[in-house]
Amino acid sequence: MGDERSSRQAANSEALGQVAHALSEVARSLTAEPDLHQTMKGIVTAAVATIPGAEYAGVSLLEAGQLRTVAPSDDLVARLDELQHELGEGPCVDAIAEHHTYRTGNLADDSRWPKFADTAASLGVASVLGFRLFATSTTLGALNLYSSQRDAFDADAEHIGELFAAHAAVALIGSQEQAQLRTALGTRDVIATAKGILMHRHHRTDAQASTMLPTAGN
């Protein structure tokens, strides 16, 4: 009995070590990625590779109250995510609305999302795992995992997925901030160019050109 317990503890320790290493690699690779779409693609690829049972993955971004599917690992994911968005039901939608993780092992028998479950089951999907992506009080969207196998996701997969989703949310926030910064810098460059043209053509000072910009196109 003692040897069996020791072997089980050793196996668990090794598995946790592998997960920790995978999450560290994910955090480093995603945080370094400045492009929003590439960050989403990295999240999806790493999720399938890291979370036990995952065959497909997708991210639903929450933008101005609307959900948008980004970088799905398969066309099937895009269909499933969009279906949830359209119906307003499903583990992805509930993960965002209820601030909770949702797991199901047999959609065909799950009464929580009847409309979504019927279609998803007909497409060959049996198990779903949905995580809310958030930072502090801000909800960014959801990470959605799918499998064709029943009971594909166990408690360990859920725990690993929650850790992964936390890393992914931090990376997503960083990527969004970088994208906003690039947009702001781009706008500043355009304004500077416009001011330069006004100053040159109309012999205006910097301050005068600044006041002309709001009406320059009228």
Side-chain angles (χ1 to χ4, degrees):
M1 179 66 72
D3 291 342
E4 182 180 345
R5 180 177 299 175
S6 297
S7 297
R8 186 164 57 248
Q9 290 176 341
N12 289 339
S13 178
E14 182 180 355
L16 288 173
Q18 292 173 348
V19 169
H21 176 73
L23 288 172
S24 297
E25 290 298 315
V26 166
R28 278 192 288 269
S29 64
L30 295 182
T31 303
E33 182 56 67
D35 181 79
L36 182 60
H37 185 270
Q38 288 302 315
T39 297
M40 294 298 94
K41 185 177 179 180
I43 288 173
V44 166
T45 300
V48 174
T50 305
I51 301 173
E55 294 179 31
Y56 313 103
V59 171
S60 294
L61 283 185
L62 184 62
E63 299 175 330
Q66 300 295 318
L67 289 172
R68 177 170 67 93
T69 301
V70 183
S73 65
D74 189 271
D75 289 341
L76 175 61
V77 174
R79 293 180 64 185
L80 293 169
D81 283 0
E82 290 299 329
L83 181 63
Q84 293 186 73
H85 304 169
E86 293 170 5
L87 294 175
E89 70 171 43
C92 156
V93 174
D94 281 1
I96 292 173
E98 304 297 333
H99 297 181
H100 187 68
T101 296
Y102 283 88
R103 170 163 57 107
T104 180
N106 185 12
L107 272 174
D109 293 336
D110 200 313
S111 61
R112 289 176 291 183
W113 316 288
K115 295 179 181 178
F116 168 71
D118 285 346
T119 302
S122 71
L123 294 173
V125 172
S127 297
V128 182
L129 190 54
F131 299 96
R132 173 187 174 222
L133 295 178
F134 68 99
T136 60
S137 61
T138 302
T139 297
L140 307 171
L143 172 64
N144 314 309
L145 308 175
Y146 302 99
S147 174
S148 62
Q149 304 299 312
R150 290 189 179 188
D151 300 315
F153 304 114
D154 57 14
D156 287 341
E158 185 172 334
H159 293 155
I160 293 170
E162 287 174 347
L163 292 172
F164 181 85
H167 281 74
V170 171
L172 178 53
I173 280 285
S175 182
Q176 288 178 332
E177 289 177 346
Q178 289 189 50
Q180 292 169 357
L181 177 60
R182 288 199 303 274
T183 299
L185 290 174
T187 301
R188 188 177 69 180
D189 289 343
V190 170
I191 291 174
T193 300
K195 285 171 59 177
I197 292 173
L198 290 172
M199 291 169 66
H200 175 73
R201 290 184 178 178
H202 300 284
H203 306 289
R204 296 291 194 268
T205 65
D206 183 275
Q208 290 171 330
S210 295
T211 61
M212 292 174 65
L213 279 176
T215 59
N218 294 339

